[in-house]
Amino acid sequence: MNLKDVIVCRCEDLTLEDVRKAIAEGYISWDELKRVLRIGLGPCGGKTCRLLVLRELANHLMLSVDQVNYRPTVVRPPLRSTSFEVFLKEENG
Amino acid sequence: MTYDIIIIGGGITGVSIAYELAKKKAGKILLLEKEFLSAGSSGSCAAGIRAQFGSEFNIGLMKLALEKFEVLAEELEYPADRIGLWQGGYLVMSSSQPEWESLKARVIVQHRLNVMTEVLTPGEVKYRFPDVNVDGCFGATYHSKDGHADPFYTVFAYGKAAERFGVEIRKRTEVTELVRDDQGIKGVRLADGDTIEAKQVLVATGAWTHHLMKTIGLDIPLWGERHEILITEPVERVFSPMVISFSLGYYIQQRPHGSFIMGLPPEQKHRWFDPAQFDISPTWGFLERMSDTVQRILPRFKGLNIVRQWAGLYEITPDSHHIIGPIEEVPGLFSAAGGSGHGFMYGPGLAPIMAEWMLGQSLSYDITRLNYQRFAKGELVIEPAVVG
């Protein structure tokens, strides 16, 4: 398997190689990887990549996925990309 | 193990001062961060940087910071596209005649310090920035060197550079209390009970500073306040300035990456001193207020999709300026916190001066008025050009 050919994040065009390299550099949490790769910060909001990345972290740290350090209390709405117009009070009366 | 200096806090303030101290060969330096670098307010901020302030003191300081941002990628040996410096200018909008008069008065001060802000009529704003709706605008000021830098990468870049100069950085290491005796500061105690000794300790923990100082009986007037931000999907780069209003509170900018980042001050302001109170959950009301603002100010972009909203803490002091420098009652103890919404942009400018201060050298820019003794003396530092 060529790690360069495995797309992990479609929004930011990141491969498995990118993810493993960042983990090897010491960015060993979901929140740090978000910041250094912008993974999970695209339009999908991490719904595609997050579990894949957590599994990579779990393998690296030799933990189970539920033990991998991330901030479960930090919620980042909206659930899916939503236009400003949807929230306009005047137009929606 | 004894260190010369322990720095608590892995945000812009902590990492930049760690780097500047190490560059000056200040000895064995340890930086402790309870989560990871940029986990707190630096990593939640809106990424704006500007010299368009109102007081001579702040204009001069931010001019230094902007000059530092301009050479930062090279100095820290970090990819420039990651530092993400974008000098598309800040367009400061007025929404009343009195506000317009005061903006113009500030420009005179800015020019005196060689910050060459332009004064634009509503017609000129319309011509230069056709996407901006000038209804209700009495005029705007524009400084082309203001703009944006990436807070995550800037913090990481400082962290890496500090490590190259020998700073030891320990992530996921929480300091639970400071340790002092009659002579002064002794070190810090960690969550696991260990004590680490140092000759000097710098507290650079943002909104958490009050809590940490309280562990040795100090009452630092600094609190956290929730501010909300959102970001859109990235689109082609079409809009260059940060458009901002001090009176209405909004700020909106397209990042180099293509997304639009924007915020508004909170409707309800809390003063949180205790970290147990810190609440950075997002609100529905913010989405409505922000959407309304976009429709009014930048109507062309109201169809953009919001990808994410979040909140972070402003670390506020009674006069909205840093509390920085030595804590006189406890020799060896220093603070550098309380940027009141501007910690990220000031960081690179303040760090070299703070390093000088900690090492007993003469200061290249006089920031001594930001010492916390000012509150006891009643010598507050006043700055008119701030958002809510």
Side-chain angles (χ1 to χ4, degrees), chain B residues 168-184:
Chain B
E168 180 184 344
I169 296 180
R170 285 195 218 163
K171 298 188 281 185
R172 298 176 185 81
T173 307
E174 184 175 2
V175 172
T176 51
E177 53 189 304
L178 303 174
V179 182
R180 66 171 290 187
D181 64 12
D182 296 343
Q183 309 295 312

Side-chain angles (χ1 to χ4, degrees), chain A residues 9-73:
Chain A
C9 165
R10 294 179 296 194
C11 304
E12 296 288 333
D13 195 17
L14 294 162
T15 66
L16 188 54
E17 185 188 44
D18 297 322
V19 172
R20 289 195 178 163
K21 225 169 118 185
I23 292 173
E25 277 179 44
Y27 299 100
I28 52 164
S29 64
W30 168 246
D31 283 282
E32 286 165 287
L33 290 169
K34 264 180 13 185
R35 283 159 166 77
V36 78
L37 294 176
R38 299 203 62 77
I39 198 161
L41 298 182
C44 92
K47 284 187 281 296
T48 311
C49 56
R50 193 167 67 101
L51 278 174
L52 298 171
V53 171
L54 290 180
R55 201 174 60 196
E56 282 299 311
L57 280 170
N59 286 340
H60 176 82
L61 299 167
M62 292 193 283
L63 296 168
S64 64
V65 168
D66 64 320
Q67 292 170 313
V68 173
N69 171 30
Y70 71 107
R71 300 152 132 184
T73 53

Side-chain angles (χ1 to χ4, degrees), chain A residues 12 25-29 31-32 34-38 40-43 45 69 71 74-78 80-85 87-91, chain B residues 35-36 38-39 43 82 150 152-153 156 160 171-172 230 232 255 257 262 282 284 287-288 291-292 294-295 301-310:
Chain A
E12 296 288 333
E25 277 179 44
Y27 299 100
I28 52 164
S29 64
D31 283 282
E32 286 165 287
K34 264 180 13 185
R35 283 159 166 77
V36 78
L37 294 176
R38 299 203 62 77
L41 298 182
N69 171 30
R71 300 152 132 184
V74 178
V75 180
R76 307 279 198 232
R80 58 201 299 177
S81 297
T82 309
S83 155
F84 288 111
E85 290 165 313
F87 300 100
L88 290 174
K89 277 182 181 165
E90 289 168 27
E91 293 195 359
Chain B
E35 291 191 77
F36 49 86
S38 83
R82 286 192 157 192
D150 188 298
F152 304 155
Y153 286 130
F156 290 159
K160 291 268 187 214
K171 298 188 281 185
R172 298 176 185 81
L230 65 77
T232 70
R255 300 183 66 242
H257 184 261
M262 59 191 75
W284 179 268
L287 287 179
E288 290 185 337
S291 300
D292 186 56
V294 169
Q295 177 184 236
F301 303 119
K302 68 179 180 183
L304 283 178
N305 284 319
I306 302 163
V307 166
R308 186 169 62 259
Q309 67 172 134
W310 70 95

Side-chain angles (χ1 to χ4, degrees), chain B residues 178 203 205-224 272-275 277-278 315-316 323 337:
Chain B
L178 303 174
V203 181
T205 51
W208 288 260
T209 300
H210 175 86
H211 173 74
L212 212 44
M213 291 294 200
K214 214 172 157 185
T215 62
I216 50 170
L218 295 166
D219 184 17
I220 301 287
L222 189 160
W223 60 90
W272 292 323
F273 288 93
D274 179 358
Q277 299 170 295
F278 294 172
E315 27 168 312
I316 301 190
I323 294 175

Side-chain angles (χ1 to χ4, degrees), chain B residues 140-175:
Chain B
T141 62
Y142 177 74
H143 178 233
S144 64
K145 290 190 173 175
D146 296 342
H148 164 282
D150 188 298
F152 304 155
Y153 286 130
T154 302
V155 171
F156 290 159
Y158 267 116
K160 291 268 187 214
E163 284 181 321
R164 279 200 303 276
F165 276 97
V167 174
E168 180 184 344
I169 296 180
R170 285 195 218 163
K171 298 188 281 185
R172 298 176 185 81
T173 307
E174 184 175 2
V175 172

